[in-house]
Amino acid sequence: MNAIDLFAGAGGFSTGATMAGCKVVWAANHWQDAVNTHALNHPGAQHVCQDLHQARWEQVPAHDIMLASPCCQGHSRARGKEDGNPQHDASRSTAWSVVSSAEFHRPYLSVVENVPEFMRWTLFPAWRQAMESMGYCLTPTIVDAADQGAPQHRERLFIVMVRAKHPLVLNLQKREHVPASSFVDFNAGNWQPIEKPGRATATLSRIAAGRRVHGDRFISSYYGNEKGGRSLHRPIGTITTRDRHAIVDGDRMRMLSVQEARAAMGFPTDYKLPENKRTAMHMLGNAVVPLVARDIIQEIARVV
């Protein structure tokens, strides 16, 4: 199948689609760094850097499946989703690009990824009705990336849409969980003493609580609900757009590296990312987990 990707972050939807046997023929994002990174890893696709509200859909090549990851920040609990916030209202409106693209091209299949709160958006019923008015039947499903073999717990909504009389019935098989220990390298990274001048009291408290539960080696989050840390023998928590996870090893600690975050997201080890860590982590935190995209698209191919 030929695919287009209204992509987010590092381009995990395209990577997963390629793993599933699709040919990605076109990809677009509003962030030039993300477009450049996608082009390095998917050189066979046409690339456009633009606001998709102004997209020229007649210039997009024909395709069998549209992949899309509208901005999630306005829906996410982590960022707030109140109406009346101009930034969040604008980010939510990117979902209408899916409608305008589908209206022009009418691909047989589309898959939209977002946070589960997307379905609680005030305008979601209108958005869904717009897709249904074009003959699409929707199958929403929430998938934890850990269930598809990524060493990360990350729940995301995937809405599979088919232009047919009946929705697709998907039977996504769960895979064995992969622990964080599979990618943490204790011989690499910029380690620092835990006890050092200026270390925040809250950080020391979290580490002390984690040590009581998990011993000398574990993962400690700088924000979120994991106040007692997380065992290395289970998948890591959600990779976000800024540094969140620290690796604790005895009396030393360091933040997760880009290479480790890439592995936690399920990208191939040779996937090229920006040299700047903040930029690379931002892209990874915004990306679709390739292994989830792969399994969903393979399951779609099985049932259509």
Side-chain angles (χ1 to χ4, degrees):
M1 291 189 292
N2 285 346
I4 67 167
D5 191 357
L6 284 59
F7 76 94
F13 230 155
S14 291
T15 304
T18 301
M19 292 175 176
C22 292
K23 179 181 179 182
V24 179
V25 297
W26 184 90
N29 188 282
H30 67 284
W31 184 18
Q32 188 64 59
D33 286 346
V35 173
N36 294 343
T37 296
H38 195 284
L40 281 174
N41 293 284
H42 302 279
Q46 297 179 34
H47 289 86
V48 179
C49 182
Q50 64 181 12
D51 180 347
L52 292 176
H53 288 103
Q54 282 80 47
R56 298 289 302 274
W57 300 118
E58 74 275 10
Q59 297 177 3
V60 175
H63 49 278
D64 308 294
I65 183 169
M66 171 176 59
L67 311 173
S69 299
C71 291
C72 67
Q73 288 88 345
H75 304 286
S76 173
R77 288 174 295 177
R79 293 288 293 273
K81 51 184 182 296
E82 294 81 4
D83 293 336
N85 181 318
Q87 179 184 357
H88 292 167
D89 292 347
S91 74
R92 282 190 288 266
S93 72
T94 58
W96 294 105
S97 299
V98 176
V99 176
S100 60
S101 177
E103 182 183 20
F104 188 93
H105 284 280
R106 304 295 174 98
Y108 181 59
L109 294 162
S110 296
V111 186
V112 170
E113 178 266 357
N114 212 288
V115 292
E117 292 85 357
F118 180 68
M119 289 194 296
R120 296 201 288 271
W121 177 31
T122 303
L123 296 180
F124 178 76
W127 183 90
R128 179 171 191 156
Q129 186 175 30
M131 295 303 298
E132 290 175 340
S133 70
M134 291 184 283
Y136 287 95
C137 288
L138 280 62
T139 304
T141 183
I142 295 175
V143 182
D144 184 346
D147 290 337
Q148 306 312 130
Q152 173 194 184
H153 282 296
R154 184 189 191 89
E155 286 193 343
R156 289 297 183 267
L157 168 70
F158 289 83
I159 303 177
V160 177
M161 297 178 280
V162 60
R163 198 155 52 83
K165 292 182 178 180
H166 304 286
L168 297 179
V169 178
L170 303 179
N171 183 21
L172 205 60
Q173 298 296 310
K174 292 185 178 182
R175 299 174 184 267
E176 184 176 353
H177 283 190
V178 178
S181 60
S182 65
F183 62 78
V184 173
D185 185 354
F186 286 98
N187 296 315
N190 183 25
W191 295 93
Q192 296 182 349
I194 294 174
E195 299 286 347
K196 73 168 190 176
R199 182 78 74 191
T201 301
T203 298
L204 294 174
S205 296
R206 279 194 295 268
I207 292 172
R211 185 174 284 120
R212 287 193 294 270
V213 177
H214 305 294
D216 284 339
R217 283 185 168 182
F218 60 95
I219 297 168
S220 180
S221 293
Y222 264 62
Y223 59 92
N225 297 320
E226 295 173 7
K227 300 187 184 303
R230 179 180 286 256
S231 170
L232 288 161
H233 301 300
R234 57 181 294 205
I236 198 169
T238 301
I239 300 297
T240 57
T241 56
R242 60 190 177 96
D243 275 342
R244 176 186 183 186
H245 302 288
I247 310 300
V248 176
D249 178 27
D251 60 359
R252 62 178 187 163
M253 65 182 294
R254 65 170 174 82
M255 302 307 294
L256 203 68
S257 70
V258 170
Q259 293 75 24
E260 289 165 333
R262 179 179 60 192
M265 286 294 296
F267 279 89
T269 56
D270 60 351
Y271 199 85
K272 302 177 181 67
L273 292 166
E275 293 185 6
N276 181 277
K277 182 181 181 182
R278 180 175 294 183
T279 302
M281 293 297 287
H282 190 93
M283 287 185 189
L284 289 169
N286 267 337
V288 175
V289 174
L291 303 182
V292 179
R294 175 202 64 193
D295 286 359
I296 288 176
I297 294 170
Q298 286 180 340
E299 177 63 9
I300 290 170
R302 185 188 70 83
V303 298
V304 296

